[in-house]
Each structure stands twice: as C-alpha cells, then as structure tokens.
Amino acid sequence: MASSLSPGINSAITPSIAPPSGVEPNFADPVTLADATVAVSITMLVLAVVLLSLRLYSTLRITRSASYDDGVSVLAMMFSIAYIGLIISIKDNARHGWDLPISGYTASYSKVILPEIIFIALGFLFSKVSILLLLFRLFSPTQKFRYLIYVGITWATLISLTSLITAGALCAPRSGESFSSLTVAERCSRQKTWAVVQGALNMSLDFYILYLPIPMVWKLQMEQKRKIGVTAIFMTGFM
C-alpha cells in the first residue's frame, strides 16, 4: 500500500481520510465500534437462526408443506452468515476514517470488501424473494397479484445485480493492480454513493412487500377482528 503513496508520505501516521476541522486523528486509542459490531452481529444472527429453525421445523415436521420459499430462505441465511463472518473479521477497522491510518488498508482487508458486498447483495436478494414466494404460495394469487409478485422479484434482482456489477467494477483490481494498491481502495470507496441509492431502493421495496398482502387479507372471508389481527402481524415488518 505504501508503494502507491507519494514520496515522503508515511502511511503509518497519515489518516485514510481528512478529519473534520478541529479534530485530531487518534491512532493510539480511537473511538471504535468493534465490540458493538460483534455483539450486534452475533445477537441478530442467533435470533435469525432461531426464527428460521422454527420456520423450517413447522414446514417440515408439523404442516409438512415445505416449498421453494423455505429453500430460498436457507440460501439467504447462508449468505448472511458469510457476510457477518467477514464483518467480524475486520471489526478492528470499525472506527472513524481519520482514526485509521492508510497502512490499515492492507491487502487482506481490501480482499474482504468485495466478497462482503457480494454476500450482502445476495443475502438481501434471497431474503426478499423468499418472502415474495411465501406470499405467492399463501394467497393463491390472482393474475394481478401474481404480476405484483413478479414485479417485486424483478425489483429485488435488479438492485442486487446492480450492486454486484458496481462492486466488481470498483472494488476488483484491474490489470496491473493488486488488492494492496491504494488506487483500488480509493476507487472502491466510490461505491458508497450507490450504497445510499441502494438503501433507498431497498427501503422502498420493503414497503412494497409489506403492503402486498394487506388487500388480500381484507378480501378473505373472516371476521373483521381477525382481519385486523392478521394485518397487525404483517405490520410487525415495520419494526
């Protein structure tokens, strides 16, 4: 990494990004989210594994109605586990950019970024497709509802596909480069612009998926109190 710097610049004492006005870089004892990253990641992972296990137990042993959506949810979990593993492996870099020297961007660190983006993109894709397939199965959809499900799946696929293309274009070394090149690190940092767009698109898709079953619920032949209850269950997705 140091070989990519201008002569006279010491990568061990040069912050990776310029600090805000009045802020001094702190390489010795910086504020870090390393412990919080590990705690939150493991807690959420355990919760997700427990809930997925209950779902699979229900469909495989109780109702014996396992379907494609269950398999896709397992794929989503596999990619999520891989992503969390990578996040934890670079937890020591969970600090302000100005508290991280350029020398912290080692080849081993840079090699994690690309698969990290790939895993989270595929994790998001399969988790959303799993929900859409479940809705498809539960509500014996009309042609209109089937079309709306296809729209959601296409929407999720395009978001993830764009993320994969962007990550490959920006974070993969090009001819004559390596993961230890500062040029690769600088170029890869540009994908944060797409990350903001991706976040907005994913949030919009979440609202879309949450809304999809509501009209179908209110068309079911059941008491209004039960309709309200079922709607409330779906609305927990907002939490």
Side-chain angles (χ1 to χ4, degrees):
M1 187 72 73
S3 62
S4 301
L5 298 172
S6 300
I9 295 181
N10 188 340
S11 63
I13 59 174
T14 303
S16 55
I17 65 173
S21 178
V23 176
E24 291 292 330
N26 180 2
F27 301 143
D29 185 27
V31 176
T32 175
L33 294 176
D35 292 339
T37 298
V38 174
V40 172
S41 297
I42 292 179
T43 299
M44 293 296 101
L45 178 59
V46 170
L47 180 61
V49 169
V50 169
L51 293 176
L52 177 60
S53 298
L54 291 174
R55 170 180 177 171
L56 295 177
Y57 179 80
S58 175
T59 56
L60 292 173
R61 299 296 299 274
I62 299 177
T63 63
R64 299 187 183 278
S65 59
S67 188
Y68 295 113
D69 52 278
D70 297 303
V72 176
S73 67
V74 172
L75 281 176
M77 179 59 67
M78 291 171 60
F79 283 111
S80 297
I81 291 173
Y83 169 74
I84 290 175
L86 291 178
I87 286 293
I88 293 177
S89 73
I90 57 172
K91 61 182 178 59
D92 291 336
N93 283 10
R95 62 179 83 171
H96 293 301
W98 53 85
D99 289 336
L100 180 68
I102 292 176
S103 59
Y105 285 96
T106 61
S108 59
Y109 171 80
S110 299
K111 288 179 180 179
V112 169
I113 302 302
L114 182 57
E116 177 186 302
I117 297 172
I118 293 173
F119 290 154
I120 193 60
L122 294 176
F124 272 127
L125 171 62
F126 289 125
S127 63
K128 296 180 190 304
V129 170
S130 174
I131 297 173
L132 290 165
L133 291 177
L134 177 62
L135 294 177
F136 188 97
R137 180 163 60 95
L138 288 179
F139 290 100
S140 300
T142 61
Q143 184 173 358
K144 179 180 179 181
F145 191 84
R146 187 180 298 113
Y147 170 76
L148 294 175
I149 293 292
Y150 292 153
V151 168
I153 293 175
T154 302
W155 189 344
T157 301
L158 289 176
I159 293 175
S160 294
L161 183 60
T162 304
S163 295
L164 296 175
I165 294 174
T166 303
L170 297 179
C171 299
R174 298 174 183 175
S175 178
E177 297 177 342
S178 68
F179 279 107
S180 62
S181 170
L182 184 59
T183 302
V184 176
E186 291 174 339
R187 187 173 64 242
C188 188
S189 67
R190 299 175 197 164
Q191 57 91 25
K192 64 185 179 181
T193 302
W194 163 245
V196 174
V197 176
Q198 179 191 25
L201 292 174
N202 269 315
M203 183 177 295
S204 300
L205 179 56
D206 287 339
F207 282 112
Y208 178 83
I209 293 174
L210 283 169
Y211 173 77
L212 272 181
I214 306 305
M216 299 298 293
V217 168
W218 284 87
K219 291 179 181 179
L220 296 176
Q221 299 298 317
M222 63 171 63
E223 296 179 357
Q224 187 169 359
K225 289 183 179 180
R226 294 189 63 188
K227 291 181 180 179
I228 294 175
V230 173
T231 300
I233 292 174
F234 279 112
M235 288 298 98
T236 58
F238 281 107
M239 300 175 60

